[in-house]
Amino acid sequence: LYNKLTLSTFGDSITSQGKWQPYVVSKLNFSKNNNNGISGTRVSGNLRNAMWQDSRINAISKKSNVILFMGGTNDWLHSAPLGVLGSSDTNTFYGALNVISNKLLSRFPNSKIIFISTTFAMAPSRSTFKNKIGIVNNIGLMNIDYGMATQRVAKQKNISFINLTNCGIDRDNIANYMTYDGSYIHPNTKGAKKMALVIVSRLKELETTK
């Protein structure tokens, strides 16, 4: 379905580690993947390499046929405020997502742009979180809350969306699918394949129903 097209993936360390993309490329026969993930980066805020900034958007190849954007885990870890839908305040998650959406749509008018939610995640080592098991950050939000905010912006902007919040990774089985490094946020080989299966299935659906 995506035979010989160019894929670009854009996000944080879950993208930069490059574990789920090879399966997607292989199954859908993309020619290659341009990995535009940078570890530790957030969607929102004014830190260097925040995803809404021009330097991040302009680093994505203009030859990209399909762009997969996934962000929000570091915003959750650092308790970034969601803000309000429709905002352009890049210090909030909604505001930064709106800016990213507008910039991607402007730079890539002929590309297929797809937003992907975060998966379920836990950070039990973070002392600032509201509960010791590490699901709720210090403003009372779970990682999947940022994923659902991404879905709302995608819907508003008429951008396709892939939901990984229900891909089968949850509190009871997370150790099977995520590497523990103080947090359960980075997929291991099994977790990456589980993510990729959902992404491939949705991409097939989007291509056949366009």
Side-chain angles (χ1 to χ4, degrees):
L1 294 174
Y2 295 90
N3 186 44
K4 306 304 181 185
L5 298 183
T6 297
L7 173 68
S8 290
T9 51
F10 172 38
D12 50 36
S13 58
I14 299 171
T15 296
S16 70
Q17 66 180 5
K19 287 190 175 181
W20 54 271
Q21 295 99 319
Y23 187 89
V24 174
V25 169
S26 173
K27 287 295 180 181
L28 296 178
N29 206 30
F30 283 102
S31 63
K32 63 177 179 178
N33 167 55
N34 298 314
N35 191 325
N36 294 101
I38 298 179
S39 180
T41 56
R42 309 179 200 177
V43 171
S44 63
N46 289 315
L47 294 178
R48 183 174 178 268
N49 286 327
M51 296 179 207
W52 63 268
Q53 294 177 359
D54 287 344
S55 59
R56 295 297 303 275
I57 305 296
N58 294 340
I60 303 170
S61 171
K62 293 201 77 171
K63 296 180 180 180
S64 305
N65 303 111
V66 179
I67 299 167
L68 302 181
F69 164 71
M70 182 194 305
T73 293
N74 290 309
D75 298 82
W76 165 66
L77 287 172
H78 293 276
S79 298
L82 286 183
V84 295
L85 187 64
S87 168
S88 59
D89 179 0
T90 54
N91 286 312
T92 70
F93 192 69
Y94 274 123
L97 281 175
N98 282 320
V99 171
I100 289 170
S101 302
N102 293 338
K103 288 182 177 182
L104 287 175
L105 290 168
S106 175
R107 181 172 168 82
F108 303 99
N110 300 314
S111 302
K112 184 187 292 291
I113 299 168
I114 300 160
F115 283 10
I116 306 177
S117 79
T118 51
T119 64
F120 178 79
M122 296 173 64
S125 65
R126 295 186 78 85
S127 60
T128 59
F129 273 26
K130 282 190 174 292
N131 57 359
K132 292 181 179 179
I133 58 175
I135 294 177
V136 179
N137 67 13
N138 68 3
I139 57 173
L141 298 173
M142 297 187 295
N143 197 34
I144 59 175
D145 291 319
Y146 293 84
M148 292 300 91
T150 304
Q151 182 179 36
R152 293 184 190 102
V153 172
K155 183 177 181 180
Q156 187 178 65
K157 299 290 185 179
N158 199 29
I159 292 172
S160 298
F161 179 75
I162 299 175
N163 187 1
L164 293 183
T165 65
N166 58 2
C167 71
I169 300 173
D170 57 36
R171 176 179 172 181
D172 294 330
N173 65 22
I174 197 167
N176 295 326
Y177 298 110
M178 298 288 188
T179 301
Y180 182 71
D181 57 3
S183 301
Y184 290 109
I185 58 175
H186 296 112
N188 59 24
T189 301
K190 288 174 62 177
K193 185 173 182 179
K194 184 173 279 290
M195 293 168 60
L197 284 169
V198 176
I199 293 168
V200 166
S201 177
R202 178 68 172 139
L203 285 176
K204 286 181 178 179
E205 178 185 313
L206 289 171
E207 186 66 15
T208 56
T209 57
K210 67 181 181 180

PDB file of all heavy atoms in Angstrom, residues 47-83:
ATOM      1  N   LEU A  47      12.107  24.834  26.100  1.00  0.00           N
ATOM      2  CA  LEU A  47      13.406  24.187  26.110  1.00  0.00           C
ATOM      3  C   LEU A  47      13.886  23.951  24.679  1.00  0.00           C
ATOM      4  O   LEU A  47      13.083  23.839  23.744  1.00  0.00           O
ATOM      5  CB  LEU A  47      13.336  22.853  26.855  1.00  0.00           C
ATOM      6  CG  LEU A  47      13.052  22.927  28.359  1.00  0.00           C
ATOM      7  CD1 LEU A  47      12.971  21.526  28.948  1.00  0.00           C
ATOM      8  CD2 LEU A  47      14.126  23.738  29.081  1.00  0.00           C
ATOM      9  N   ARG A  48      15.183  23.858  24.521  1.00  0.00           N
ATOM     10  CA  ARG A  48      15.772  23.607  23.200  1.00  0.00           C
ATOM     11  C   ARG A  48      15.187  22.331  22.599  1.00  0.00           C
ATOM     12  O   ARG A  48      15.040  21.319  23.277  1.00  0.00           O
ATOM     13  CB  ARG A  48      17.291  23.483  23.347  1.00  0.00           C
ATOM     14  CG  ARG A  48      18.034  23.293  22.034  1.00  0.00           C
ATOM     15  CD  ARG A  48      19.533  23.339  22.281  1.00  0.00           C
ATOM     16  NE  ARG A  48      20.274  23.114  21.039  1.00  0.00           N
ATOM     17  CZ  ARG A  48      20.680  21.923  20.640  1.00  0.00           C
ATOM     18  NH1 ARG A  48      20.414  20.849  21.359  1.00  0.00           N
ATOM     19  NH2 ARG A  48      21.359  21.792  19.513  1.00  0.00           N
ATOM     20  N   ASN A  49      14.849  22.395  21.341  1.00  0.00           N
ATOM     21  CA  ASN A  49      14.320  21.249  20.594  1.00  0.00           C
ATOM     22  C   ASN A  49      12.903  20.849  20.970  1.00  0.00           C
ATOM     23  O   ASN A  49      12.486  19.717  20.682  1.00  0.00           O
ATOM     24  CB  ASN A  49      15.243  20.027  20.703  1.00  0.00           C
ATOM     25  CG  ASN A  49      16.501  20.179  19.868  1.00  0.00           C
ATOM     26  OD1 ASN A  49      16.468  20.791  18.804  1.00  0.00           O
ATOM     27  ND2 ASN A  49      17.606  19.637  20.348  1.00  0.00           N
ATOM     28  N   ALA A  50      12.145  21.737  21.616  1.00  0.00           N
ATOM     29  CA  ALA A  50      10.718  21.449  21.785  1.00  0.00           C
ATOM     30  C   ALA A  50      10.116  21.210  20.407  1.00  0.00           C
ATOM     31  O   ALA A  50      10.512  21.839  19.414  1.00  0.00           O
ATOM     32  CB  ALA A  50      10.014  22.618  22.473  1.00  0.00           C
ATOM     33  N   MET A  51       9.171  20.289  20.324  1.00  0.00           N
ATOM     34  CA  MET A  51       8.733  19.808  19.013  1.00  0.00           C
ATOM     35  C   MET A  51       7.997  20.847  18.177  1.00  0.00           C
ATOM     36  O   MET A  51       7.931  20.711  16.947  1.00  0.00           O
ATOM     37  CB  MET A  51       7.881  18.556  19.189  1.00  0.00           C
ATOM     38  CG  MET A  51       8.654  17.396  19.775  1.00  0.00           C
ATOM     39  SD  MET A  51       7.624  15.921  19.992  1.00  0.00           S
ATOM     40  CE  MET A  51       8.494  15.124  21.345  1.00  0.00           C
ATOM     41  N   TRP A  52       7.460  21.879  18.782  1.00  0.00           N
ATOM     42  CA  TRP A  52       6.737  22.903  18.023  1.00  0.00           C
ATOM     43  C   TRP A  52       7.666  23.877  17.317  1.00  0.00           C
ATOM     44  O   TRP A  52       7.237  24.629  16.432  1.00  0.00           O
ATOM     45  CB  TRP A  52       5.808  23.693  18.955  1.00  0.00           C
ATOM     46  CG  TRP A  52       6.512  24.459  20.037  1.00  0.00           C
ATOM     47  CD1 TRP A  52       6.793  24.029  21.307  1.00  0.00           C
ATOM     48  CD2 TRP A  52       7.048  25.783  19.957  1.00  0.00           C
ATOM     49  NE1 TRP A  52       7.468  24.994  22.018  1.00  0.00           N
ATOM     50  CE2 TRP A  52       7.635  26.081  21.207  1.00  0.00           C
ATOM     51  CE3 TRP A  52       7.097  26.749  18.944  1.00  0.00           C
ATOM     52  CZ2 TRP A  52       8.261  27.290  21.480  1.00  0.00           C
ATOM     53  CZ3 TRP A  52       7.724  27.967  19.211  1.00  0.00           C
ATOM     54  CH2 TRP A  52       8.289  28.228  20.472  1.00  0.00           C
ATOM     55  N   GLN A  53       8.944  23.881  17.682  1.00  0.00           N
ATOM     56  CA  GLN A  53       9.869  24.876  17.152  1.00  0.00           C
ATOM     57  C   GLN A  53      10.209  24.608  15.687  1.00  0.00           C
ATOM     58  O   GLN A  53      10.250  23.470  15.220  1.00  0.00           O
ATOM     59  CB  GLN A  53      11.130  24.916  18.009  1.00  0.00           C
ATOM     60  CG  GLN A  53      10.870  25.413  19.432  1.00  0.00           C
ATOM     61  CD  GLN A  53      12.102  25.392  20.311  1.00  0.00           C
ATOM     62  OE1 GLN A  53      13.179  24.984  19.887  1.00  0.00           O
ATOM     63  NE2 GLN A  53      11.944  25.826  21.547  1.00  0.00           N
ATOM     64  N   ASP A  54      10.500  25.686  14.951  1.00  0.00           N
ATOM     65  CA  ASP A  54      10.802  25.574  13.527  1.00  0.00           C
ATOM     66  C   ASP A  54      11.956  24.619  13.253  1.00  0.00           C
ATOM     67  O   ASP A  54      11.952  23.914  12.238  1.00  0.00           O
ATOM     68  CB  ASP A  54      11.146  26.960  12.952  1.00  0.00           C
ATOM     69  CG  ASP A  54       9.932  27.854  12.803  1.00  0.00           C
ATOM     70  OD1 ASP A  54       8.798  27.332  12.853  1.00  0.00           O
ATOM     71  OD2 ASP A  54      10.116  29.078  12.649  1.00  0.00           O
ATOM     72  N   SER A  55      12.950  24.617  14.139  1.00  0.00           N
ATOM     73  CA  SER A  55      14.120  23.760  13.914  1.00  0.00           C
ATOM     74  C   SER A  55      13.730  22.290  13.833  1.00  0.00           C
ATOM     75  O   SER A  55      14.337  21.516  13.074  1.00  0.00           O
ATOM     76  CB  SER A  55      15.156  23.966  15.026  1.00  0.00           C
ATOM     77  OG  SER A  55      14.602  23.659  16.300  1.00  0.00           O
ATOM     78  N   ARG A  56      12.708  21.894  14.600  1.00  0.00           N
ATOM     79  CA  ARG A  56      12.259  20.501  14.559  1.00  0.00           C
ATOM     80  C   ARG A  56      11.430  20.222  13.310  1.00  0.00           C
ATOM     81  O   ARG A  56      11.605  19.192  12.644  1.00  0.00           O
ATOM     82  CB  ARG A  56      11.439  20.166  15.813  1.00  0.00           C
ATOM     83  CG  ARG A  56      12.198  20.203  17.125  1.00  0.00           C
ATOM     84  CD  ARG A  56      13.324  19.180  17.206  1.00  0.00           C
ATOM     85  NE  ARG A  56      12.886  17.810  17.006  1.00  0.00           N
ATOM     86  CZ  ARG A  56      12.397  17.021  17.960  1.00  0.00           C
ATOM     87  NH1 ARG A  56      12.256  17.490  19.198  1.00  0.00           N
ATOM     88  NH2 ARG A  56      12.060  15.768  17.701  1.00  0.00           N
ATOM     89  N   ILE A  57      10.503  21.119  12.990  1.00  0.00           N
ATOM     90  CA  ILE A  57       9.641  20.914  11.830  1.00  0.00           C
ATOM     91  C   ILE A  57      10.460  20.943  10.540  1.00  0.00           C
ATOM     92  O   ILE A  57      10.272  20.105   9.648  1.00  0.00           O
ATOM     93  CB  ILE A  57       8.541  21.996  11.777  1.00  0.00           C
ATOM     94  CG1 ILE A  57       7.743  22.053  13.088  1.00  0.00           C
ATOM     95  CG2 ILE A  57       7.633  21.774  10.571  1.00  0.00           C
ATOM     96  CD1 ILE A  57       6.952  20.827  13.410  1.00  0.00           C
ATOM     97  N   ASN A  58      11.394  21.892  10.448  1.00  0.00           N
ATOM     98  CA  ASN A  58      12.173  22.052   9.221  1.00  0.00           C
ATOM     99  C   ASN A  58      13.203  20.948   9.030  1.00  0.00           C
ATOM    100  O   ASN A  58      13.752  20.792   7.925  1.00  0.00           O
ATOM    101  CB  ASN A  58      12.861  23.417   9.205  1.00  0.00           C
ATOM    102  CG  ASN A  58      11.875  24.562   9.128  1.00  0.00           C
ATOM    103  OD1 ASN A  58      10.727  24.380   8.725  1.00  0.00           O
ATOM    104  ND2 ASN A  58      12.302  25.751   9.533  1.00  0.00           N
ATOM    105  N   ALA A  59      13.484  20.190  10.074  1.00  0.00           N
ATOM    106  CA  ALA A  59      14.424  19.067   9.952  1.00  0.00           C
ATOM    107  C   ALA A  59      13.794  17.864   9.264  1.00  0.00           C
ATOM    108  O   ALA A  59      14.502  16.946   8.831  1.00  0.00           O
ATOM    109  CB  ALA A  59      14.929  18.661  11.335  1.00  0.00           C
ATOM    110  N   ILE A  60      12.473  17.861   9.146  1.00  0.00           N
ATOM    111  CA  ILE A  60      11.775  16.759   8.478  1.00  0.00           C
ATOM    112  C   ILE A  60      11.872  16.955   6.966  1.00  0.00           C
ATOM    113  O   ILE A  60      11.582  18.029   6.451  1.00  0.00           O
ATOM    114  CB  ILE A  60      10.297  16.707   8.914  1.00  0.00           C
ATOM    115  CG1 ILE A  60      10.190  16.576  10.436  1.00  0.00           C
ATOM    116  CG2 ILE A  60       9.578  15.543   8.241  1.00  0.00           C
ATOM    117  CD1 ILE A  60       8.777  16.766  10.968  1.00  0.00           C
ATOM    118  N   SER A  61      12.285  15.925   6.275  1.00  0.00           N
ATOM    119  CA  SER A  61      12.484  16.014   4.833  1.00  0.00           C
ATOM    120  C   SER A  61      11.200  16.404   4.103  1.00  0.00           C
ATOM    121  O   SER A  61      10.130  15.838   4.352  1.00  0.00           O
ATOM    122  CB  SER A  61      12.978  14.671   4.291  1.00  0.00           C
ATOM    123  OG  SER A  61      12.983  14.667   2.874  1.00  0.00           O
ATOM    124  N   LYS A  62      11.334  17.341   3.170  1.00  0.00           N
ATOM    125  CA  LYS A  62      10.183  17.748   2.365  1.00  0.00           C
ATOM    126  C   LYS A  62       9.780  16.659   1.364  1.00  0.00           C
ATOM    127  O   LYS A  62       8.721  16.746   0.746  1.00  0.00           O
ATOM    128  CB  LYS A  62      10.477  19.058   1.632  1.00  0.00           C
ATOM    129  CG  LYS A  62      10.622  20.259   2.566  1.00  0.00           C
ATOM    130  CD  LYS A  62      10.393  21.571   1.854  1.00  0.00           C
ATOM    131  CE  LYS A  62       8.907  21.817   1.629  1.00  0.00           C
ATOM    132  NZ  LYS A  62       8.623  23.180   1.129  1.00  0.00           N
ATOM    133  N   LYS A  63      10.617  15.636   1.242  1.00  0.00           N
ATOM    134  CA  LYS A  63      10.309  14.509   0.370  1.00  0.00           C
ATOM    135  C   LYS A  63       9.464  13.445   1.079  1.00  0.00           C
ATOM    136  O   LYS A  63       9.158  12.409   0.499  1.00  0.00           O
ATOM    137  CB  LYS A  63      11.594  13.882  -0.162  1.00  0.00           C
ATOM    138  CG  LYS A  63      12.402  14.817  -1.052  1.00  0.00           C
ATOM    139  CD  LYS A  63      13.666  14.138  -1.564  1.00  0.00           C
ATOM    140  CE  LYS A  63      14.467  15.075  -2.461  1.00  0.00           C
ATOM    141  NZ  LYS A  63      15.715  14.434  -2.969  1.00  0.00           N
ATOM    142  N   SER A  64       9.093  13.707   2.325  1.00  0.00           N
ATOM    143  CA  SER A  64       8.316  12.735   3.100  1.00  0.00           C
ATOM    144  C   SER A  64       6.927  12.556   2.508  1.00  0.00           C
ATOM    145  O   SER A  64       6.204  13.527   2.308  1.00  0.00           O
ATOM    146  CB  SER A  64       8.182  13.203   4.555  1.00  0.00           C
ATOM    147  OG  SER A  64       9.450  13.446   5.132  1.00  0.00           O
ATOM    148  N   ASN A  65       6.568  11.323   2.247  1.00  0.00           N
ATOM    149  CA  ASN A  65       5.207  11.030   1.789  1.00  0.00           C
ATOM    150  C   ASN A  65       4.256  10.816   2.953  1.00  0.00           C
ATOM    151  O   ASN A  65       3.075  11.153   2.878  1.00  0.00           O
ATOM    152  CB  ASN A  65       5.199   9.777   0.912  1.00  0.00           C
ATOM    153  CG  ASN A  65       6.111   9.894  -0.283  1.00  0.00           C
ATOM    154  OD1 ASN A  65       7.130   9.226  -0.366  1.00  0.00           O
ATOM    155  ND2 ASN A  65       5.759  10.761  -1.232  1.00  0.00           N
ATOM    156  N   VAL A  66       4.776  10.236   4.032  1.00  0.00           N
ATOM    157  CA  VAL A  66       3.984   9.961   5.234  1.00  0.00           C
ATOM    158  C   VAL A  66       4.785  10.433   6.442  1.00  0.00           C
ATOM    159  O   VAL A  66       5.978  10.131   6.565  1.00  0.00           O
ATOM    160  CB  VAL A  66       3.665   8.460   5.368  1.00  0.00           C
ATOM    161  CG1 VAL A  66       2.865   8.190   6.650  1.00  0.00           C
ATOM    162  CG2 VAL A  66       2.920   7.951   4.144  1.00  0.00           C
ATOM    163  N   ILE A  67       4.137  11.178   7.331  1.00  0.00           N
ATOM    164  CA  ILE A  67       4.781  11.667   8.554  1.00  0.00           C
ATOM    165  C   ILE A  67       3.987  11.167   9.750  1.00  0.00           C
ATOM    166  O   ILE A  67       2.782  11.441   9.870  1.00  0.00           O
ATOM    167  CB  ILE A  67       4.844  13.204   8.573  1.00  0.00           C
ATOM    168  CG1 ILE A  67       5.658  13.717   7.379  1.00  0.00           C
ATOM    169  CG2 ILE A  67       5.455  13.707   9.885  1.00  0.00           C
ATOM    170  CD1 ILE A  67       5.510  15.200   7.129  1.00  0.00           C
ATOM    171  N   LEU A  68       4.652  10.430  10.624  1.00  0.00           N
ATOM    172  CA  LEU A  68       4.035   9.946  11.856  1.00  0.00           C
ATOM    173  C   LEU A  68       4.592  10.757  13.021  1.00  0.00           C
ATOM    174  O   LEU A  68       5.809  10.770  13.255  1.00  0.00           O
ATOM    175  CB  LEU A  68       4.338   8.465  12.070  1.00  0.00           C
ATOM    176  CG  LEU A  68       3.892   7.494  10.968  1.00  0.00           C
ATOM    177  CD1 LEU A  68       4.250   6.058  11.362  1.00  0.00           C
ATOM    178  CD2 LEU A  68       2.401   7.620  10.700  1.00  0.00           C
ATOM    179  N   PHE A  69       3.723  11.439  13.733  1.00  0.00           N
ATOM    180  CA  PHE A  69       4.123  12.274  14.873  1.00  0.00           C
ATOM    181  C   PHE A  69       3.638  11.652  16.176  1.00  0.00           C
ATOM    182  O   PHE A  69       2.454  11.355  16.332  1.00  0.00           O
ATOM    183  CB  PHE A  69       3.543  13.681  14.710  1.00  0.00           C
ATOM    184  CG  PHE A  69       3.571  14.484  15.986  1.00  0.00           C
ATOM    185  CD1 PHE A  69       4.767  14.952  16.496  1.00  0.00           C
ATOM    186  CD2 PHE A  69       2.402  14.753  16.680  1.00  0.00           C
ATOM    187  CE1 PHE A  69       4.796  15.678  17.677  1.00  0.00           C
ATOM    188  CE2 PHE A  69       2.416  15.489  17.860  1.00  0.00           C
ATOM    189  CZ  PHE A  69       3.623  15.954  18.363  1.00  0.00           C
ATOM    190  N   MET A  70       4.564  11.461  17.115  1.00  0.00           N
ATOM    191  CA  MET A  70       4.209  10.914  18.424  1.00  0.00           C
ATOM    192  C   MET A  70       4.963  11.684  19.508  1.00  0.00           C
ATOM    193  O   MET A  70       6.187  11.728  19.520  1.00  0.00           O
ATOM    194  CB  MET A  70       4.595   9.426  18.514  1.00  0.00           C
ATOM    195  CG  MET A  70       4.208   8.760  19.822  1.00  0.00           C
ATOM    196  SD  MET A  70       5.031   7.143  20.068  1.00  0.00           S
ATOM    197  CE  MET A  70       4.577   6.283  18.570  1.00  0.00           C
ATOM    198  N   GLY A  71       4.237  12.312  20.401  1.00  0.00           N
ATOM    199  CA  GLY A  71       4.864  13.051  21.487  1.00  0.00           C
ATOM    200  C   GLY A  71       3.941  13.129  22.686  1.00  0.00           C
ATOM    201  O   GLY A  71       2.761  12.803  22.593  1.00  0.00           O
ATOM    202  N   GLY A  72       4.481  13.560  23.813  1.00  0.00           N
ATOM    203  CA  GLY A  72       3.673  13.748  25.002  1.00  0.00           C
ATOM    204  C   GLY A  72       4.206  13.071  26.246  1.00  0.00           C
ATOM    205  O   GLY A  72       3.878  13.481  27.367  1.00  0.00           O
ATOM    206  N   THR A  73       5.037  12.050  26.070  1.00  0.00           N
ATOM    207  CA  THR A  73       5.525  11.329  27.249  1.00  0.00           C
ATOM    208  C   THR A  73       6.351  12.230  28.155  1.00  0.00           C
ATOM    209  O   THR A  73       6.190  12.217  29.379  1.00  0.00           O
ATOM    210  CB  THR A  73       6.338  10.094  26.825  1.00  0.00           C
ATOM    211  OG1 THR A  73       5.466   9.152  26.200  1.00  0.00           O
ATOM    212  CG2 THR A  73       6.998   9.427  28.025  1.00  0.00           C
ATOM    213  N   ASN A  74       7.236  13.037  27.586  1.00  0.00           N
ATOM    214  CA  ASN A  74       8.052  13.918  28.422  1.00  0.00           C
ATOM    215  C   ASN A  74       7.253  15.084  28.980  1.00  0.00           C
ATOM    216  O   ASN A  74       7.573  15.598  30.057  1.00  0.00           O
ATOM    217  CB  ASN A  74       9.268  14.409  27.625  1.00  0.00           C
ATOM    218  CG  ASN A  74      10.251  13.283  27.369  1.00  0.00           C
ATOM    219  OD1 ASN A  74      10.659  12.574  28.277  1.00  0.00           O
ATOM    220  ND2 ASN A  74      10.614  13.093  26.108  1.00  0.00           N
ATOM    221  N   ASP A  75       6.208  15.490  28.281  1.00  0.00           N
ATOM    222  CA  ASP A  75       5.306  16.507  28.831  1.00  0.00           C
ATOM    223  C   ASP A  75       4.617  15.962  30.079  1.00  0.00           C
ATOM    224  O   ASP A  75       4.462  16.660  31.086  1.00  0.00           O
ATOM    225  CB  ASP A  75       4.267  16.906  27.779  1.00  0.00           C
ATOM    226  CG  ASP A  75       4.902  17.520  26.556  1.00  0.00           C
ATOM    227  OD1 ASP A  75       5.372  16.752  25.681  1.00  0.00           O
ATOM    228  OD2 ASP A  75       4.949  18.755  26.458  1.00  0.00           O
ATOM    229  N   TRP A  76       4.205  14.695  30.002  1.00  0.00           N
ATOM    230  CA  TRP A  76       3.607  14.041  31.167  1.00  0.00           C
ATOM    231  C   TRP A  76       4.614  13.928  32.309  1.00  0.00           C
ATOM    232  O   TRP A  76       4.303  14.274  33.457  1.00  0.00           O
ATOM    233  CB  TRP A  76       3.114  12.651  30.754  1.00  0.00           C
ATOM    234  CG  TRP A  76       2.793  11.715  31.873  1.00  0.00           C
ATOM    235  CD1 TRP A  76       1.783  11.844  32.789  1.00  0.00           C
ATOM    236  CD2 TRP A  76       3.462  10.501  32.198  1.00  0.00           C
ATOM    237  NE1 TRP A  76       1.780  10.774  33.673  1.00  0.00           N
ATOM    238  CE2 TRP A  76       2.811   9.935  33.316  1.00  0.00           C
ATOM    239  CE3 TRP A  76       4.545   9.831  31.638  1.00  0.00           C
ATOM    240  CZ2 TRP A  76       3.215   8.734  33.896  1.00  0.00           C
ATOM    241  CZ3 TRP A  76       4.948   8.621  32.204  1.00  0.00           C
ATOM    242  CH2 TRP A  76       4.283   8.095  33.327  1.00  0.00           C
ATOM    243  N   LEU A  77       5.827  13.476  31.993  1.00  0.00           N
ATOM    244  CA  LEU A  77       6.842  13.299  33.034  1.00  0.00           C
ATOM    245  C   LEU A  77       7.165  14.598  33.753  1.00  0.00           C
ATOM    246  O   LEU A  77       7.463  14.600  34.942  1.00  0.00           O
ATOM    247  CB  LEU A  77       8.126  12.718  32.419  1.00  0.00           C
ATOM    248  CG  LEU A  77       8.089  11.252  32.009  1.00  0.00           C
ATOM    249  CD1 LEU A  77       9.347  10.886  31.238  1.00  0.00           C
ATOM    250  CD2 LEU A  77       7.934  10.337  33.227  1.00  0.00           C
ATOM    251  N   HIS A  78       7.086  15.713  33.033  1.00  0.00           N
ATOM    252  CA  HIS A  78       7.410  17.017  33.614  1.00  0.00           C
ATOM    253  C   HIS A  78       6.167  17.835  33.951  1.00  0.00           C
ATOM    254  O   HIS A  78       6.261  19.035  34.211  1.00  0.00           O
ATOM    255  CB  HIS A  78       8.326  17.792  32.667  1.00  0.00           C
ATOM    256  CG  HIS A  78       9.687  17.168  32.510  1.00  0.00           C
ATOM    257  ND1 HIS A  78      10.718  17.383  33.391  1.00  0.00           N
ATOM    258  CD2 HIS A  78      10.155  16.291  31.581  1.00  0.00           C
ATOM    259  CE1 HIS A  78      11.770  16.686  33.015  1.00  0.00           C
ATOM    260  NE2 HIS A  78      11.462  16.009  31.916  1.00  0.00           N
ATOM    261  N   SER A  79       5.017  17.169  33.948  1.00  0.00           N
ATOM    262  CA  SER A  79       3.754  17.792  34.372  1.00  0.00           C
ATOM    263  C   SER A  79       3.431  19.072  33.612  1.00  0.00           C
ATOM    264  O   SER A  79       3.016  20.081  34.197  1.00  0.00           O
ATOM    265  CB  SER A  79       3.775  18.057  35.884  1.00  0.00           C
ATOM    266  OG  SER A  79       3.891  16.837  36.599  1.00  0.00           O
ATOM    267  N   ALA A  80       3.593  19.026  32.301  1.00  0.00           N
ATOM    268  CA  ALA A  80       3.221  20.178  31.476  1.00  0.00           C
ATOM    269  C   ALA A  80       1.710  20.367  31.514  1.00  0.00           C
ATOM    270  O   ALA A  80       0.956  19.397  31.433  1.00  0.00           O
ATOM    271  CB  ALA A  80       3.677  19.950  30.032  1.00  0.00           C
ATOM    272  N   PRO A  81       1.239  21.603  31.630  1.00  0.00           N
ATOM    273  CA  PRO A  81      -0.211  21.842  31.645  1.00  0.00           C
ATOM    274  C   PRO A  81      -0.834  21.546  30.288  1.00  0.00           C
ATOM    275  O   PRO A  81      -0.221  21.818  29.249  1.00  0.00           O
ATOM    276  CB  PRO A  81      -0.324  23.323  31.995  1.00  0.00           C
ATOM    277  CG  PRO A  81       0.977  23.920  31.537  1.00  0.00           C
ATOM    278  CD  PRO A  81       2.013  22.859  31.750  1.00  0.00           C
ATOM    279  N   LEU A  82      -2.042  21.001  30.305  1.00  0.00           N
ATOM    280  CA  LEU A  82      -2.731  20.748  29.045  1.00  0.00           C
ATOM    281  C   LEU A  82      -3.170  22.039  28.381  1.00  0.00           C
ATOM    282  O   LEU A  82      -3.134  22.164  27.158  1.00  0.00           O
ATOM    283  CB  LEU A  82      -3.953  19.854  29.275  1.00  0.00           C
ATOM    284  CG  LEU A  82      -3.702  18.381  29.561  1.00  0.00           C
ATOM    285  CD1 LEU A  82      -5.038  17.648  29.695  1.00  0.00           C
ATOM    286  CD2 LEU A  82      -2.847  17.723  28.486  1.00  0.00           C
ATOM    287  N   GLY A  83      -3.603  23.009  29.140  1.00  0.00           N
ATOM    288  CA  GLY A  83      -4.147  24.224  28.563  1.00  0.00           C
ATOM    289  C   GLY A  83      -5.537  23.970  28.009  1.00  0.00           C
ATOM    290  O   GLY A  83      -6.274  23.113  28.506  1.00  0.00           O
TER     291      GLY A  83
END
